Each structure stands twice: as structure tokens, then as C-alpha cells.
Amino acid sequence: MSTRTPGGPVQATSPTFVGMPAFPEAARGALANTQQRKNLRHATHTIRDKRAAAVAEVPQWEALRVAGAEAKDEALTHLGDYLEQLEASLTARGATVHWARDAAEANRIALEVVRAKEADEVVKVKSMATQEIELNEALEEAGVHAWETDLAELIVQLGHDRPSHILVPAIHRNRSEIREIFLREMAAVGRPAPEELTDDPAALAEAARLHLREKFLRARVGISGANFAIADTGTLVVVESEGNGRMCLTLPETLITVVGIEKVLPTWDDLGPMMQLLPRSSTAERMNPYTTMWTGTHEGDGPQDVHVILLDNGRSHVLADTVGREALRCIRCSACLNVCPVYERTGGHAYGSVYPGPIGAVLNPQLRGTTSEVDQSLPYASSLCGACFDACPVRINIPELLVELRGRVTEQEGHAAESAAMRAAAWVLSDPRRLAGAQRAAGLAGRLIGDRTVRSVPGLGAWTDARDLPTPPTESFRHWWARERKDER
């Protein structure tokens, strides 16, 4: 059975935008938080080094990257056809398929299913799609409590926080901070942590296990995302490292899975390269510890009632862009975050979205448009060093997309001051006499400033907040050359 929106499965929509601080404002706050910067540096460098070692073991790594990119491009090029095939495969195996244009529609469908089961709580496996649409908040507002069961997501939830990393949502927290959260919040909900709880990882994991066990056993509804959806078989795939996701996917009688429409793969064979690329790129493991696959409903163990919500929420806008659609290849591995010098210093909250780092800097402005301050600023949250492309397992050329988006923002006059500066520079550089005059003025300014450091300039306040303005040279190369070579004329 399926419920379809009018006009077909792929239809341009206006995505839901959740207001968040602009990148520069949030980034400045992150730069001032020395503990968070220390946590981020330690975690990203550890994951980065482990990933490099795991990738080095595979001599055909570049061929795998190409295969992964080609599989995603095939799916995106004919996405409408593959989505309809996925719908037919799921329906033939007893699942109910729903189509959601945006976050509001997806949340309404999920809530209707939960209410039909007369449930007042759900257990959730880590899902970026449900975070994107703020499903937890929608359920809470309707009186349904959503329990996050992934350890890092649980830490974020109990800490009344937001995720800051694709793979490790609580990467900005250290062990001592997590212990304090557990002691405070677990006691508040009637399941106190052990009296002798330490910040040892095993002790913290055991506390989380005790906290969640009863919720797994009593929950009647589970909610998940999906890493991949196979069109020709209707198989949904979730990869995770703890086993809590498998509890969510198998114990409840009803399972609701929210899947972004870009997660489709054409055939079962296309899953092979992905299952080699994703573990090594994300957790630096040769094989994922827990990979759960299910196809429709199950008569014995497993969910008896399966609902799949295919989510657009702006993805059709990205798909329509022949350049930008490359970003929809993303398999949420987080490799680009771990090598990015900007992310390492600012953390994920600065990006104003559940999708942080280099991929967030290109995906968010495409999903939501560039009318807001935060989305205008994101394409500039990069040094364009190219490390993200080298790390991406499906070869998304993030630097190229960032440059493309910067051009679009400039065309929309989203950066009026920068546009004016570039026009002024073009005017000066287009005439030798004007250039010579500008050089004389710069030399005079350099002599007046002397050895003093310029820390702030009107109109450049945001730029000089994080760096000193270079002191102009007292003499240009043109003047030096004329002085040194005057006898040769």
C-alpha cells in the first residue's frame, strides 16, 4: 500500500528551514570555547589517522570510489524511475509507502501512524533525516516521547544539545562532561546512574545500556532512517556500531522509516562497493559491526507493520541543478568533516544544520536556498584546500561546488561589501596610472602606521575579529625597481 502526493514522486518543494545563528556569529563563539576546540581536534585527528590506515589497506580504493560515484549518479539521473520501482518493491512485500514533500508532511504522517498504534513513546535509531525535519520535537509537542538509543545521540538528547558531527553527534563533549550529563539527567527520569559512575567509557556505556533496556522491551513503535534503499528488491539498510539500532528495528511491532529520496540505489549489486566504502570512510573499520537489512514486513520476529516515508524536503531543487546534484551522492560518512581545518576549529553547531562540515556547506544552501544569512555564509566556510574531495568516498567535488555557490551568492548581492571591493579592485588594476597612485597611497599608509599592529578597520570588523590586518609595505616593487635600476636606464 502507498500514499502518494499529487504530481508524482519527485516534485519540487519548499524545504522547511529552522532558524539558526549565522555561520560567522556561531563560529566566533566556537573559537572562544577552548575546551570544545580541544575535544574536536583530538577526535577528528584520531578518526582521520585511523581512516587513512584502513583505506591504505585497499589497493583498488580509487576504483571503489569511482564505482560508488557511478552508482549514485545512475540513481540520481533516473531518480523518478527508481523511486517508483522502490515503491512497488516495498508495497509487494507488505510495507506502506508514504510520500512527503517537506518536514511538516513527513512529521504529520509519522505522528498519524504513532497515534493509530495508541503509543505515547517511540524508540529511535540514529537518523539524520529525522533530525533534519525535527521529528523528535514534533512528537514531543504532540505528547509522544522519542527515546534516542544511539549512545552519542542519547548524550545529545540528555544534554538538551544539538548534534555537531555526522558520525559522532556528541564529538564536542568529553568523558567528564558526559558523566555529569548522565548523573544529572538519568536520575531526573527515574533511572539513576550507578553511584560509583566514573568517566570510563565502559562504565558510561553500561549506564546507557541500563537506561535504555526497559525502553527497548516495552516500545511498540520504532523509528529509523536508512543508509541505503535498494530499488529492485525493496530492501532498506541501516549500518551502525552498537547494536542499539538493531533493537529498534526488530523488537517493536511497528517500524517507521524516514528515507531521503537520494538514498536509493538501483540494484543489490550496487550495495557492494558502498559496504566497502562507508565503514572505512566513517569508522575506519574494514566491516561495519552491525548491518541490518529488512525487506517489508515479517510474520515472525521483526516488525509486523512497516511504514516508509520517502522525504523530499528540498532534494528535488538540488536534483534539478545539473552541477549541484553531485552533493546528493553523499553517503553521510563524515570523512570530509574530519579533514576540514574549518570544521575542526568551529564544530558542527556553527553550520546551522544537522549537516555540518564541507558537505553541509554545499548541501544546506542548495536544500534551503541562499536567502538567509547563514546559507549565504556557508559557501565561504572553507579554505578550498581540497582535502574534502580527496577524502570523499563517492568523489563529490566539494571545492568546485563551493566556488559555484559563492558565485551564485555574489550574483544575488548576498555579499555587497565584497562585491564592492572586487569592483573597486578591478577599477584600480585596469589602469597603470590608477595602480601607481594606489601603490603610492599604500606606501604612505605603511609609513604612517610604522610598527603598530592594525587590529580593526571600519567595514572589515568581522574579517579582523580573527586576524590582524597586514601592514601595507612602505615601498612597492615598482618603486624599488625604479630606485635600484635607475643607473641602467
Side-chain angles (χ1 to χ4, degrees):
M1 177 181 178
S2 63
T3 56
R4 181 190 294 263
T5 57
V10 182
Q11 183 175 357
T13 62
S14 298
T16 296
F17 173 76
V18 180
M20 292 286 285
F23 183 87
E25 176 186 342
R28 285 194 292 272
L31 290 171
N33 188 335
T34 55
Q35 181 60 59
Q36 176 173 294
R37 290 176 64 185
K38 182 179 178 181
N39 297 345
L40 285 167
R41 177 177 174 79
H42 173 73
T44 55
H45 279 243
T46 299
I47 299 171
R48 179 194 310 179
D49 293 344
K50 290 174 61 180
R51 176 196 174 275
V55 168
E57 296 176 348
V58 184
Q60 72 277 17
W61 181 253
E62 189 59 29
L64 281 174
R65 291 180 75 204
V66 171
E70 289 178 347
K72 292 293 291 185
D73 283 347
E74 167 63 21
L76 294 172
T77 303
H78 306 286
L79 186 57
D81 295 334
Y82 286 121
L83 285 172
E84 291 187 338
Q85 184 181 10
L86 175 65
E87 176 189 35
S89 300
L90 285 165
T91 303
R93 290 160 177 82
T96 302
V97 179
H98 310 262
W99 300 84
R101 291 185 178 91
D102 53 27
E105 196 163 27
N107 289 337
R108 176 184 57 78
I109 293 168
L111 184 57
E112 287 176 355
V113 175
V114 173
R115 282 176 170 164
K117 301 301 177 181
E118 299 181 347
D120 59 4
E121 65 176 354
V122 299
V123 289
K124 290 182 73 251
V125 60
K126 178 182 175 184
S127 164
M128 299 197 73
T130 61
Q131 292 167 354
E132 173 191 335
I133 64 177
E134 298 202 321
L135 177 59
N136 285 13
E137 290 78 1
L139 292 173
E140 291 285 355
E141 186 177 347
V144 179
H145 194 80
W147 295 105
E148 293 289 352
T149 63
D150 174 84
L151 178 56
E153 289 289 355
L154 177 65
I155 294 166
V156 169
Q157 185 178 45
L158 293 180
H160 308 287
D161 204 349
R162 283 184 174 269
S164 62
H165 191 275
I166 289 176
L167 176 66
V168 193
I171 196 172
H172 56 291
R173 299 287 193 183
N174 61 28
R175 295 186 299 176
S176 297
E177 292 173 309
I178 294 169
R179 175 182 179 272
E180 294 303 316
I181 291 172
F182 279 14
L183 286 173
R184 181 182 70 247
E185 297 295 328
M186 289 182 179
V189 296
R191 289 289 298 180
E195 293 181 2
E196 300 299 325
L197 180 63
T198 68
D199 63 0
D200 179 69
L204 295 172
E206 177 64 15
R209 188 177 295 112
L210 293 172
H211 178 75
L212 292 171
R213 179 65 58 174
E214 64 174 326
K215 297 172 178 56
F216 284 131
L217 295 176
R218 72 174 183 238
R220 289 179 291 162
V221 178
I223 296 179
S224 81
N227 293 92
F228 306 105
I230 314 301
D232 66 347
T233 63
T235 303
L236 302 175
V237 183
V238 165
V239 297
E240 40 126 4
S241 299
E242 300 167 9
N244 291 339
R246 182 163 294 179
M247 302 279 277
C248 291
L249 296 167
T250 57
L251 288 178
E253 295 179 356
T254 299
L255 176 61
I256 304 170
T257 301
V258 182
V259 186
I261 57 175
E262 83 282 11
K263 295 295 185 71
V264 176
L265 291 177
T267 69
W268 182 264
D269 289 340
D270 294 318
L271 185 62
M274 299 301 181
M275 296 308 294
Q276 298 177 74
L277 291 166
L278 181 56
R280 292 178 186 268
S281 296
S282 56
T283 57
E285 294 168 301
R286 298 181 181 92
M287 181 172 149
N288 207 70
Y290 292 90
T291 301
T292 305
M293 306 180 188
W294 70 102
T295 307
T297 58
H298 298 263
E299 294 182 2
D301 293 336
Q304 314 292 306
D305 187 17
V306 173
H307 293 260
V308 179
I309 301 174
L310 297 177
L311 175 68
D312 187 331
N313 205 35
R315 287 159 174 79
S316 292
H317 290 301
V318 186
L319 186 68
D321 186 337
T322 55
V323 176
R325 71 168 56 169
E326 190 174 331
L328 293 180
R329 289 183 196 163
C330 178
I331 58 174
R332 312 293 192 260
C333 71
S334 79
C336 62
L337 281 69
N338 299 325
V339 298
C340 178
V342 176
Y343 174 85
E344 179 186 311
R345 288 159 177 80
T346 63
H349 294 157
Y351 292 82
S353 166
V354 68
Y355 304 114
I359 188 62
V362 296
L363 187 58
N364 293 319
Q366 293 187 91
L367 286 173
R368 306 185 303 203
T370 54
T371 57
S372 69
E373 185 180 2
V374 62
D375 289 313
Q376 289 174 2
S377 70
L378 285 179
Y380 295 85
S382 171
S383 64
L384 298 180
C385 66
C388 48
F389 171 70
D390 292 339
C392 178
V394 287
R395 295 178 54 84
I396 302 173
N397 196 333
I398 294 176
E400 182 178 88
L401 295 182
L402 286 168
V403 172
E404 172 73 16
L405 287 169
R406 289 181 185 187
R408 295 178 191 179
V409 170
T410 302
E411 288 175 2
Q412 296 171 7
E413 295 185 344
H415 286 259
E418 181 176 326
S419 298
M422 291 299 103
R423 286 194 295 270
W427 181 80
V428 170
L429 295 173
S430 64
D431 185 282
R433 290 171 298 180
R434 290 195 287 262
L435 177 59
Q439 289 174 332
R440 286 194 295 270
L444 176 61
R447 290 190 291 274
L448 291 174
I449 293 171
D451 295 331
R452 289 173 294 176
T453 300
V454 180
R455 301 195 182 279
S456 182
V457 175
L460 293 178
W463 193 88
T464 54
D465 278 348
R467 56 181 69 80
D468 297 332
L469 188 72
T471 302
T474 58
E475 185 179 36
S476 70
F477 174 79
R478 182 192 296 260
H479 293 156
W480 174 88
W481 182 270
R483 175 170 53 79
E484 291 295 319
R485 304 291 180 177
K486 62 182 178 181
D487 295 337
E488 300 178 11
R489 297 179 188 177

